[in-house]
Every structure is written in C-alpha cells, then in structure tokens.
Amino acid sequence: MFLSTAFLALASMLGSAQAATYRRTDSVQGTQFNDWFDYQNIRDPTNGRVNYVDRNTAISQNLTFAGGDTFILRADSTRVVQANQAGRDSVRIRSKKTFSTHVAVFDVRHMPQGCGTWPAIWETLEAGWPNGGEVDILEGVNDVGPNAATLHTTPGCTMPAHAAQGMTGSWKQMDCNWLVNGNAGCGAYMRERRSYGPAFNQNGGGVYALERAPNYMKVWFWPRGVAPPRDIGTANVNPDTWGAPEVYFPDTQCNLREKFAANHIIINLTLCGDWAGAVYPGTCPSNCVNHVNTNPGAFREAYFDFKSINIYQL
Ligand SMILES: *[C@@H]1O[C@H](CO)[C@@H](O)[C@H](O)[C@H]1NC(C)=O
Ligand SMILES: *[C@@H]1O[C@H](CO)[C@@H](O)[C@H](O)[C@H]1NC(C)=O
C-alpha cells in the first residue's frame, strides 16, 4: 500500500515535471498565409486529377483569397477541364519553416466537400519520404467521416493496444510502416462525427490541434460550439490540461525521435487520385475523372476557410 502510494506520488511528480508549457512562435491569419507558406505548383504525387497552380495564378483566379481573419484555399469551380489537361486547378501550400517538438492549432470554418475531393492538413518532410515521417491531422475522401489521424513511417513502428485507453478515437490500423497495408499507416477514427466533411461544415467547422512531443503525438478536435481549452488562442498553451485527445500515438513500440525529422506543414486539396479515385462511391456521378472534368459547379464547396493557424514551441 505504502509502496504503491509512493509510486503514484512519484509518477505524478514525474508527470508534472514533464508537463510542458509551449510558447506561441507563429500566428498566421489572413494575408500572412501567403508569406508563411510556399505555393507548390508541382505534379500531384498522388496522381490526382488536379493542376496545382502557382501563387500568382492562385491569387489572380481567386483560388486563394486572404483578408481580415479569412484565408480561403479552393479548387476551381468555373471551368470544364479538357482530357489533355492535368486536371482541375487547385492549390497545395507548404510552410516555409519546419517543426519538431511543437503544438499546431488550426481553426477551420469550412473544409473541402464534394464527390472526388481529397483534402488534407498534414506534416511531413518530402525529401527522403518517408524517412522523416508523416502525420496526417485532417484527411479523408469523398465526404466520408469521421476524420482519421494517421502516422506513416519506415518499418518498425506500431501502436500498442493500451494506447486506446488514452484516447477517445478508435484504431483503424496499428502498423505505421508505409510498406504494409498499402501505406494505410497507423490511424484512428475520431469519435466526434462532426470532424469531417459535410457534418463539419454544417456545424461551422472547429479547432484541430496536434501536439508533437518527443515521446508521443496527440490530436484533438473541438467542433464549433464546444469551447476549446481556454489557453488556446493565448500566448502559452499546456496540452496536459486539455483532457484525452481523439488520437494518441505513444512511443512504446515506435522510436518517434528516430522516425520523425523536422516536418513542414502542408495543406493540399487533390481530386480523385490514388485514394479518392480508388474508392469513388457509386453514389457519385459517372466516374471520378469524368466528374471532375465536366462538372465545375460540383466543386463550389471544395474549399478550406481558415480562421487562423497558431504554432507553439518550447
Ligand atoms: C474571391 O473570393 C472571396 C472569398 O470567397 C469572395 O468574397 C470574393 O468576392 C471573391 N472575389 C472575386 C473577384 O470573385
Ligand atoms: C498530398 O500529397 C501527399 C504526397 O506528397 C500525399 O501523401 C497526401 O496524401 C496528399 N493529400 C492530398 C489531399 O493531396
């Protein structure tokens, strides 16, 4: 009895010694998005039916729009795409900076929706991928929720069954190795149904947060109307006070320090491609590529509306 009480006291001291207060280092809103991120007019690595445009094209075609506390990023919804073109104009942006231990908070009002859409907010190091790891914070296809948060790594990284006790979401796959399960990664569905797609948008979006600590990662989501922790939006945050995350990735069977390098934050919106195209539902019109080519008006809701991104570091 004495021993276990002493042990608990010690464990709680250790726990509070580790309790981290992160300080805000970056606050990105409105026009600041255009300087904080690079526009990547590259061929889509996931073979989507998109044409990622450069910064000038995006701004002049209003595919991105920045003002006040709004940053919009969208796919074109006005033009028919010809068969010989790469795809529908869209946007992919990547942070100029890279981050290791940090907290990233994304306040999002609207996310891309519609048949064939495959939006993502994620972090990776593309050079040498997947050696620097990948964490997908918000990602999905064809409006199917809830959101799943996922890691992709080199072999030798799995999630333990006990992780489920520290989170509200539920595991989909537990091996993070990109070489198995068709690179599905280790990911868990969030319990909150309003974390993705039409349900997310109808509710006015919400706040996503990632904590990447040296020995774990956690992802939270607070739908609009559910107050996020009070320190969010202030100069310092302490995620230890935020309660159980939706998804918890501990390092017990995965050396996160080795599997993850400093990563960029990337926001992309592709259409069809390796995932959304492969599981394009029968409830959507024709096939994915034809739908994208011929129905510009179907992409009016295919946009992100960001209120802000805040980054906190130790
Ligand atoms: C550009 O997009 C913004 C946000 O959706 C909108 O308010 C504005 O009217 C658009 N501008 C033009 C010229 O279409
Ligand atoms: C964005 O591109 C990366 C590949 O660089 C891919 O892993 C990710 O799934 C893509 N997501 C979207 C939505 O395009």
Side-chain angles (χ1 to χ4, degrees), residues 62 65 72 74:
N62 214 23
F65 168 84
I72 308 264
R74 66 178 131 228

PDB file of all heavy atoms in Angstrom, residues 62 65 72 74, ligand 1:
ATOM      1  N   ASN A  62      -8.478  33.855 -57.827  1.00  0.00           N
ATOM      2  CA  ASN A  62      -9.224  33.794 -56.557  1.00  0.00           C
ATOM      3  C   ASN A  62      -9.338  32.358 -56.027  1.00  0.00           C
ATOM      4  O   ASN A  62     -10.279  32.022 -55.318  1.00  0.00           O
ATOM      5  CB  ASN A  62     -10.623  34.415 -56.697  1.00  0.00           C
ATOM      6  CG  ASN A  62     -11.079  35.127 -55.429  1.00  0.00           C
ATOM      7  OD1 ASN A  62     -10.272  35.545 -54.606  1.00  0.00           O
ATOM      8  ND2 ASN A  62     -12.395  35.241 -55.258  1.00  0.00           N
ATOM      9  N   PHE A  65      -7.806  33.342 -51.373  1.00  0.00           N
ATOM     10  CA  PHE A  65      -8.302  34.676 -51.062  1.00  0.00           C
ATOM     11  C   PHE A  65      -7.951  34.945 -49.609  1.00  0.00           C
ATOM     12  O   PHE A  65      -8.262  34.135 -48.735  1.00  0.00           O
ATOM     13  CB  PHE A  65      -9.808  34.743 -51.270  1.00  0.00           C
ATOM     14  CG  PHE A  65     -10.423  35.990 -50.712  1.00  0.00           C
ATOM     15  CD1 PHE A  65     -10.429  37.171 -51.454  1.00  0.00           C
ATOM     16  CD2 PHE A  65     -10.967  36.002 -49.432  1.00  0.00           C
ATOM     17  CE1 PHE A  65     -10.990  38.334 -50.926  1.00  0.00           C
ATOM     18  CE2 PHE A  65     -11.523  37.161 -48.906  1.00  0.00           C
ATOM     19  CZ  PHE A  65     -11.529  38.319 -49.655  1.00  0.00           C
ATOM     20  N   ILE A  72      -8.927  31.601 -47.701  1.00  0.00           N
ATOM     21  CA  ILE A  72      -9.661  30.591 -48.467  1.00  0.00           C
ATOM     22  C   ILE A  72      -8.684  29.913 -49.415  1.00  0.00           C
ATOM     23  O   ILE A  72      -7.839  30.581 -50.019  1.00  0.00           O
ATOM     24  CB  ILE A  72     -10.778  31.257 -49.307  1.00  0.00           C
ATOM     25  CG1 ILE A  72     -11.664  32.161 -48.447  1.00  0.00           C
ATOM     26  CG2 ILE A  72     -11.555  30.232 -50.107  1.00  0.00           C
ATOM     27  CD1 ILE A  72     -12.914  31.572 -47.933  1.00  0.00           C
ATOM     28  N   ARG A  74      -9.001  26.911 -52.504  1.00  0.00           N
ATOM     29  CA  ARG A  74     -10.043  26.098 -53.137  1.00  0.00           C
ATOM     30  C   ARG A  74      -9.620  25.535 -54.486  1.00  0.00           C
ATOM     31  O   ARG A  74      -8.631  25.967 -55.064  1.00  0.00           O
ATOM     32  CB  ARG A  74     -11.311  26.932 -53.313  1.00  0.00           C
ATOM     33  CG  ARG A  74     -11.156  28.072 -54.270  1.00  0.00           C
ATOM     34  CD  ARG A  74     -12.484  28.848 -54.446  1.00  0.00           C
ATOM     35  NE  ARG A  74     -12.293  30.278 -54.309  1.00  0.00           N
ATOM     36  CZ  ARG A  74     -13.059  31.072 -53.554  1.00  0.00           C
ATOM     37  NH1 ARG A  74     -14.061  30.586 -52.872  1.00  0.00           N
ATOM     38  NH2 ARG A  74     -12.806  32.358 -53.497  1.00  0.00           N
TER      39      ARG A  74
HETATM   40  C1  LIG B   1     -12.886  35.894 -54.055  1.00  0.00           C
HETATM   41  O1  LIG B   1     -13.252  35.006 -53.007  1.00  0.00           O
HETATM   42  C2  LIG B   1     -13.769  35.678 -51.877  1.00  0.00           C
HETATM   43  C3  LIG B   1     -13.974  34.619 -50.794  1.00  0.00           C
HETATM   44  O2  LIG B   1     -14.764  33.566 -51.237  1.00  0.00           O
HETATM   45  C4  LIG B   1     -15.037  36.412 -52.235  1.00  0.00           C
HETATM   46  O3  LIG B   1     -15.536  37.077 -51.102  1.00  0.00           O
HETATM   47  C5  LIG B   1     -14.718  37.402 -53.332  1.00  0.00           C
HETATM   48  O4  LIG B   1     -15.905  38.027 -53.743  1.00  0.00           O
HETATM   49  C6  LIG B   1     -14.073  36.705 -54.497  1.00  0.00           C
HETATM   50  N1  LIG B   1     -13.634  37.699 -55.467  1.00  0.00           N
HETATM   51  C7  LIG B   1     -13.953  37.632 -56.729  1.00  0.00           C
HETATM   52  C8  LIG B   1     -13.398  38.715 -57.606  1.00  0.00           C
HETATM   53  O5  LIG B   1     -14.668  36.758 -57.187  1.00  0.00           O
END
